[in-house]
Amino acid sequence: QVQLVESGGGSVQSGGSLRLSCAVSLRTYSSYFMGWFRQAPGKEREGVASISPDRSTIYTDSVKGRFTISRDRAKNTHYLQMNSLKPEDTAMYYCAAGLGWDASLHIAAYNYWGQGTQVTVSS
């Protein structure tokens, strides 16, 4: 059974930082691209960042220059370092894994999802 377990969410003031982690129980972890998504109350889930097996990365425009996605094959874990956080970053954050070689911000591209971790940024 594939499991994705997020950690690292919490509450922080505007301008602060958080680091999210996602531990993935996949035997073929290196064959999957990984992603982070978020969903704020009353809004649709949106792709935030994604990293391919060869560590190519893509980001949604609103987080470019502030967020960094990375992955550690030895630990089957990927991360989202979030700096200069803004109140509009407040959301439930989900990690996901998709089989393939290209990073993607599209929900339909992903095969497995975590349960989510809450990030709250106060002004």
Side-chain angles (χ1 to χ4, degrees):
Q1 183 178 357
V2 178
Q3 286 188 315
L4 285 75
V5 181
E6 300 103 335
S7 61
S11 297
V12 65
Q13 289 191 329
S14 182
S17 297
L18 284 173
R19 187 193 195 204
L20 306 183
S21 299
C22 178
V24 182
S25 63
L26 271 171
R27 290 174 57 188
T28 54
Y29 177 83
S30 60
S31 298
Y32 283 73
F33 56 91
M34 301 293 164
W36 287 97
F37 291 75
R38 66 186 180 187
Q39 187 167 18
K43 295 188 176 181
E44 294 186 352
R45 190 172 299 190
E46 66 167 343
V48 175
S50 179
I51 186 167
S52 68
D54 67 355
R55 294 187 170 85
S56 297
T57 59
I58 55 174
Y59 298 90
T60 192
D61 286 346
S62 62
V63 308
K64 286 180 181 177
R66 300 189 298 123
F67 291 10
T68 303
I69 188 171
S70 60
R71 64 190 293 167
D72 185 336
R73 292 181 182 179
K75 296 181 179 180
N76 277 23
T77 300
H78 60 287
Y79 306 92
L80 187 66
Q81 177 67 44
M82 305 185 294
N83 298 328
S84 302
L85 282 161
K86 304 175 181 179
E88 51 263 44
D89 295 317
T90 295
M92 185 70 78
Y93 282 71
Y94 299 88
C95 66
L99 180 62
W101 301 105
D102 296 319
S104 175
L105 296 179
H106 298 294
I107 293 173
Y110 287 82
N111 304 98
Y112 303 106
W113 293 83
Q115 294 300 307
T117 185
Q118 179 68 37
V119 171
T120 302
V121 184
S122 58
S123 58

